[in-house]
Amino acid sequence: MEQIYIVMLIALAVLAVIDLTVGVANDAVNFLNSAIGSKAVTFKTIMIVASLGILVGALFSGGMMEIARSGIFNPRMFTFNDVMIIFLAVMITDVLLLDVFNSLGLPTSTTVSIVFELLGAAVCLAVVKIVGTTDGWNTLTEYINTEKATEIVAGILISVLLSFTIGMLVQYISRLVFTFNVDKKLKTYGGLFGGIAITAITFFILIKGLKGASFLSETTSYWINHNQGTIVLINLVFWTLFSQLLVQVFKINVLKIIIVIGTFALALAFAGNDMVNFIGVPIAAFQSYEFFMASGSNPNTFMMGKLAEEDVVAPFYFLLIAGAVMVYTLWTSKKARTVIETEMSLARQDSDGEDEKFSPNLLSRGLVRGTVLIGMGLNFVIPKGLQSRMDRSFEKPKMVDTTKRDKKDEPAFDMVRASVNLMVASILISIGTSMKLPLSTTYVIFMVAMGTSFADRAWDRDSAVYRVAGVFNVIGGWFVTAIVAFIASFITVYILKIGEIYALVAMLILVGILLYRSNKMHQKKMREKLEQETKLNNVDIGTIQGVAAESSTQIASVLTRVNDLYTIVIDAIALQDITQLKTSRKKLKKLEKEVDNLRGNVYFFIKKLDDTSVGASKFYVITLGFLQDMIKAVSFIAQNSYGHVDNNHKKLKFNQIRDLKLIDKKLQILFDKIIILFSEGNYSQIEEILEDKDELISSVDKLIQKQIIRIRTTETSAKNSKLYFSILFETDDLIKSTIGLLELFKDFDIDVKRKSFTRMS
């Protein structure tokens, strides 16, 4: 009988390792965001500092969170078999839930997920017990610790509002003091700022990071908790003098020191406390098994009240293995980079041309519009002179040689904001911990970062609606985490309860399959993103020849897809294949978005060219315009065809389909020639292709005329004619856009040959 529980423990150990990897991928943004975004030090240095923080926090974390053992449910009401089922369900749900959020690139709270998973699992078994006995529903509170769940929800609301507000105020004041000319202001204010920031971070390490550390005696912990004011004062004086010495004597940028220390502190706190969100449940299961084996009782009758009474301390080797897994994941996880990118995109200082990750919604539009109106009102109240002085503090210095720099090499924000992020987050989490408030590090750090970016005017009129929508999406995801975690864990417990060992095996296989598919999908998504990012980095685009060469590659790719999709749509409308039409619509929308993104980056493309390359700019803009017109024509055909079939309208007549296939074949021949032409960059053949343009346009005109005659002489429906005409008109636009593109490159080829001949002469 005991063998099944050994299998459960092995499964929990495997799930713990997986949970550590997905957990680190989600929470890495908490301690890497500020350092990576500011580029204060190299990425390798950041990773080394964070790794050291994780190892120190993991090795010195001897305690375990109460919520895993008795914070959410009362173990005295459950048998050993019950708690093992609860722990298994929680780990299975947690692994899948965190992996979903990582794949979406959204930071969520591991604390909230584990709390509501425990709550959902415990409620399910409590309901099963109540239904199977004569106990009333009022006894449900004896099984569940509802007070803790209420505190967690309250903690979410408090941390979201306070973190954003305080982060915004501190950053606004800091920017007024330092402006964007940080180097000049550091000589005057660097010492005091460094003293305050490092004191806050040091206090954070003592109160939050080392809370419950095994190497601290009870006397030392007691003294730290009861002499916090003295600790803060001594640290403030020491670090202020130390920072001033660094700035004045050694000419060292104290902001870099703050960022490095802050990164170490947050990584240490993450490993020291949040690690129990991943291994706390498996350790509780291991301790429960030890209690059960020592009792020699029946697993279905042995009540686990001892789990709440005994202090459960994680063995040193558990912590060592967990720390090693976390460090390994930190260096290798690609999903961690995706989560980091989400926060970077919402906090980035420069927004022009940035591909925003989130789409605006009604709430974000309304909030931004209201904020703009409030700002306009304040302009009438604040004196103009004061407004001008304040605005000058937010003026960014002009970057030198920005045209030669890769946008990815530029910091998302400066070191002042990074330091404020770390300082404010440290203070808030320290206060929350000392007051025993269940604040989540994810909530605090994310909302502080959003507050500082808002105060720093990173959200301008061009980006605010997207950034606000992103914040709402992330916050909404936090609440969704709680709901989904509860429901999923509830269902998983019930399946494990009734299915026993068979359900366990099936669930573990399901977890493996889902994680495998998730990783494959994420890899595919990253490959597609990489392909899209390489759009203008392969050739010299400083000249019109370079633009033409790069555009030829893009044109060949777009035309190949347009040609294929046009044929697929015509075949699908002939066969009334709604599935194929739906798929084609999605592919065309994706293609249209890719070209639209290219047009969105035209601003930066033009700025990268020198003053003598105005012709190259115009050439590139016109080329993209033709490509977009071609895609829109086929998209319109696909959209109308899908609507026609989806509404079950009458099919096109045989003669109509035959005529459309005739045009399709002619277009295929045309596109095949053009694709070869642009793939090889041989523009001399354009003249030959254009000789047949009048015949192709005439073919479409004849079909339009033929349909007019059909309407007058034979039976055709209005919907049928509407669809047929729309296909012909959009095909005509497609042909004319293609011809316009060819004529553009024909003129370019003639111009190049003329200049070449002039130079030879």
Side-chain angles (χ1 to χ4, degrees):
M1 184 66 179
E2 289 79 8
Q3 284 77 7
I4 188 174
Y5 298 111
I6 295 176
V7 173
M8 287 183 174
L9 288 175
I10 294 172
L12 282 167
V14 174
L15 289 170
V17 173
I18 298 173
D19 206 27
L20 277 169
T21 59
V22 295
V24 171
N26 187 278
D27 284 4
V29 65
N30 291 342
F31 49 86
L32 295 178
N33 168 46
S34 296
I36 292 177
S38 65
K39 296 190 181 295
V41 292
T42 64
F43 182 76
K44 186 176 181 180
T45 302
I46 295 169
M47 296 295 283
I48 292 173
V49 170
S51 299
L52 290 173
I54 288 175
L55 284 175
V56 172
L59 294 176
F60 292 141
S61 178
M64 190 189 100
M65 248 189 196
E66 183 187 71
I67 60 170
R69 296 183 284 113
S70 58
I72 300 302
F73 64 92
N74 296 320
R76 62 182 176 81
M77 301 295 293
F78 296 93
T79 65
F80 170 66
N81 186 66
D82 291 336
V83 297
M84 290 298 290
I85 292 176
I86 288 174
F87 292 148
L88 267 172
V90 167
M91 292 303 295
I92 290 172
T93 305
D94 202 53
V95 166
L96 295 177
L97 185 64
L98 291 181
D99 187 69
V100 168
F101 272 87
N102 292 343
S103 298
L104 295 174
L106 296 176
T108 189
S109 172
T110 53
T111 302
V112 167
S113 63
I114 206 77
V115 165
F116 280 90
E117 284 155 5
L118 285 165
L119 183 62
V123 166
C124 179
L125 282 188
V127 169
V128 170
K129 286 178 174 292
I130 291 172
V131 170
T133 61
T134 57
D135 296 338
W137 289 105
N138 61 322
T139 60
L140 182 63
T141 55
E142 297 179 14
Y143 292 89
I144 308 301
N145 189 345
T146 54
E147 183 180 354
K148 178 62 69 175
T150 304
E151 285 182 0
I152 291 291
V153 175
I156 294 174
L157 298 174
I158 292 172
S159 62
V160 166
L161 295 174
L162 281 181
S163 300
F164 184 88
T165 305
I166 296 175
M168 177 181 64
L169 292 175
V170 174
Q171 177 61 30
Y172 191 79
I173 295 170
S174 300
R175 187 58 69 195
L176 288 176
V177 172
F178 285 102
T179 70
F180 279 94
N181 296 312
V182 180
D183 293 336
K184 295 180 181 179
K185 300 292 184 177
L186 269 179
K187 296 178 181 178
T188 306
Y189 304 107
L192 180 60
F193 185 81
I196 295 172
I198 299 176
T199 297
I201 294 168
T202 306
F203 182 72
F204 171 71
I205 293 175
L206 290 174
I207 302 302
K208 173 72 174 175
L210 299 182
K211 181 187 177 185
S214 58
F215 69 93
L216 289 180
S217 63
E218 291 186 10
T219 305
T220 304
S221 297
Y222 180 86
W223 187 88
I224 290 175
N225 289 328
H226 289 79
N227 292 275
Q228 295 180 10
T230 304
I231 293 171
V232 170
L233 183 60
I234 293 173
N235 272 274
L236 181 61
V237 173
F238 174 78
W239 289 117
T240 300
L241 295 175
F242 179 76
S243 299
Q244 195 65 34
L245 186 67
L246 289 177
V247 173
Q248 295 289 351
V249 179
F250 297 101
K251 309 299 181 183
I252 295 175
N253 190 336
V254 71
L255 297 178
K256 292 185 178 181
I257 306 298
I258 295 171
I259 292 168
V260 170
I261 296 175
T263 301
F264 175 84
L266 290 178
L268 183 147
F270 161 70
N273 286 288
D274 292 354
M275 184 175 67
V276 297
N277 295 337
F278 318 123
I279 66 171
V281 167
I283 290 175
F286 178 76
Q287 297 289 345
S288 299
Y289 179 75
E290 289 187 330
F291 295 149
F292 163 69
M293 291 301 293
S295 70
S297 304
N298 188 316
N300 293 311
T301 58
F302 179 63
M303 309 304 289
M304 294 304 300
K306 196 174 182 181
L307 193 63
E309 298 172 0
E310 296 290 330
D311 291 332
V312 182
V313 179
F316 177 80
Y317 55 87
F318 280 3
L319 301 177
L320 180 62
I321 295 172
V325 172
M326 293 166 79
V327 171
Y328 175 78
T329 303
L330 183 66
W331 284 86
T332 59
S333 175
K334 293 181 179 179
K335 289 187 178 181
R337 312 290 170 88
T338 306
V339 179
I340 291 170
E341 285 174 8
T342 296
E343 194 161 321
M344 291 293 101
S345 68
L346 294 175
R348 178 171 288 278
Q349 188 70 36
D350 297 321
S351 59
D352 290 336
E354 196 69 26
D355 293 337
E356 298 292 347
K357 187 178 179 68
F358 298 94
S359 300
N361 52 48
L362 184 64
L363 191 58
S364 69
R365 292 190 184 100
L367 187 60
V368 171
R369 189 174 293 113
T371 304
V372 170
L373 292 175
I374 293 172
M376 293 171 63
L378 290 175
N379 288 338
F380 289 100
V381 178
I382 301 175
K384 297 296 183 183
L386 179 59
Q387 281 187 45
S388 298
R389 287 196 297 272
M390 293 169 66
D391 288 339
R392 282 196 295 271
S393 297
F394 290 87
E395 289 179 359
K396 306 174 190 65
K398 293 184 178 180
M399 303 295 293
V400 181
D401 292 329
T402 54
T403 57
K404 297 180 181 179
R405 295 180 61 184
D406 191 336
K407 193 171 181 64
K408 290 184 178 181
D409 294 333
E410 298 177 11
F413 42 80
D414 70 353
M415 287 186 278
V416 171
R417 176 134 63 103
S419 300
V420 171
N421 285 343
L422 294 165
M423 175 176 63
V424 174
S426 298
I427 292 173
L428 290 177
I429 296 172
S430 301
I431 293 173
T433 302
S434 62
M435 296 176 63
K436 297 182 179 180
L437 291 174
L439 295 183
S440 167
T441 54
T442 300
Y443 298 158
V444 171
I445 295 170
F446 178 83
M447 292 310 298
V448 166
M450 295 303 99
T452 56
S453 62
F454 176 74
D456 225 13
R457 301 187 181 180
W459 300 359
D460 60 15
R461 292 288 291 271
D462 288 335
S463 64
V465 69
Y466 304 99
R467 305 289 176 85
V468 174
V471 173
F472 283 142
N473 282 349
V474 173
I475 294 174
W478 295 342
F479 288 96
V480 170
T481 299
I483 297 170
V484 174
F486 181 91
I487 296 173
S489 188
F490 187 100
I491 296 172
T492 304
V493 160
Y494 186 73
I495 293 173
L496 291 174
K497 181 70 175 177
I498 62 175
E500 298 180 340
I501 186 64
Y502 304 105
L504 173 60
V505 173
M507 292 294 287
L508 292 177
I509 293 173
L510 178 64
V511 169
I513 293 172
L514 292 177
L515 289 178
Y516 176 79
R517 290 189 61 188
S518 172
N519 286 326
K520 284 293 182 183
M521 290 174 63
H522 189 266
Q523 290 173 8
K524 181 182 178 183
K525 185 178 178 182
M526 291 299 100
R527 282 197 302 270
E528 291 176 351
K529 183 177 180 181
L530 183 62
E531 290 173 1
Q532 191 174 342
E533 287 176 349
T534 57
K535 43 198 171 197
L536 285 176
N537 298 326
N538 299 324
V539 297
D540 175 19
I541 58 171
T543 64
I544 193 169
Q545 287 83 3
V547 173
E550 177 60 24
S551 298
S552 295
T553 304
Q554 295 172 353
I555 292 168
S557 174
V558 171
L559 285 183
T560 300
R561 292 157 74 180
V562 167
N563 188 20
D564 293 340
L565 288 168
Y566 183 87
T567 301
I568 291 171
V569 170
I570 296 301
D571 289 341
I573 190 63
L575 299 171
Q576 298 281 289
D577 189 344
I578 193 169
T579 303
Q580 196 66 260
L581 288 170
K582 188 174 183 180
T583 303
S584 299
R585 277 198 321 162
K586 291 181 180 178
K587 290 181 178 179
L588 283 162
K589 283 183 180 179
K590 181 181 178 182
L591 180 58
E592 190 173 355
K593 184 177 180 181
E594 290 176 11
V595 176
D596 191 55
N597 286 338
L598 287 173
R599 295 197 72 176
N601 285 327
V602 162
Y603 171 82
F604 289 102
F605 167 79
I606 293 174
K607 291 194 73 173
K608 290 173 75 173
L609 297 175
D610 55 41
D611 295 335
T612 62
S613 300
V614 177
S617 304
K618 184 179 179 181
F619 182 87
Y620 185 64
V621 171
I622 295 173
T623 299
L624 291 180
F626 281 128
L627 290 178
Q628 197 166 44
D629 289 342
M630 294 163 66
I631 297 167
K632 283 184 176 179
V634 183
S635 295
F636 198 76
I637 294 173
Q639 179 65 38
N640 283 347
S641 300
Y642 176 81
H644 185 92
V645 176
D646 193 37
N647 291 328
N648 296 302
H649 295 318
K650 291 181 180 179
K651 297 180 181 181
L652 292 179
K653 301 292 184 179
F654 173 79
N655 291 338
Q656 292 173 318
I657 294 172
R658 182 193 60 194
D659 292 341
L660 289 177
K661 285 302 298 179
L662 178 64
I663 291 293
D664 177 38
K665 287 181 180 179
K666 291 183 178 181
L667 278 176
Q668 283 186 34
I669 295 171
L670 173 67
F671 282 137
D672 287 342
K673 291 180 180 179
I674 298 174
I675 291 167
I676 294 173
L677 183 151
F678 281 108
S679 297
E680 297 176 351
N682 185 9
Y683 310 128
S684 60
Q685 298 178 9
I686 292 179
E687 185 69 37
E688 180 183 338
I689 296 175
L690 287 175
E691 290 177 358
D692 299 328
K693 68 176 183 179
D694 293 335
E695 192 274 332
L696 192 59
I697 294 174
S698 177
S699 298
V700 177
D701 290 339
K702 289 177 181 177
L703 293 183
I704 294 173
Q705 184 66 27
K706 186 185 291 187
Q707 179 61 20
I708 293 173
I709 296 172
R710 283 197 194 103
I711 294 174
R712 298 177 63 87
T713 59
T714 61
E715 182 183 352
T716 57
S717 69
K719 298 295 183 183
N720 174 294
S721 297
K722 179 183 177 182
L723 173 64
Y724 188 67
F725 276 133
S726 69
I727 294 174
L728 291 178
F729 288 143
E730 293 304 324
T731 300
D732 186 61
D733 288 343
L734 172 63
I735 294 169
K736 289 177 179 177
S737 297
T738 306
I739 291 171
L741 184 66
L742 289 172
E743 290 176 340
L744 176 69
F745 273 80
K746 173 189 170 185
D747 294 339
F748 158 75
D749 187 53
I750 293 172
D751 187 55
V752 169
K753 288 179 179 178
R754 184 190 304 117
K755 290 180 179 178
S756 177
F757 178 77
T758 303
R759 285 196 298 270
M760 289 175 65
S761 301

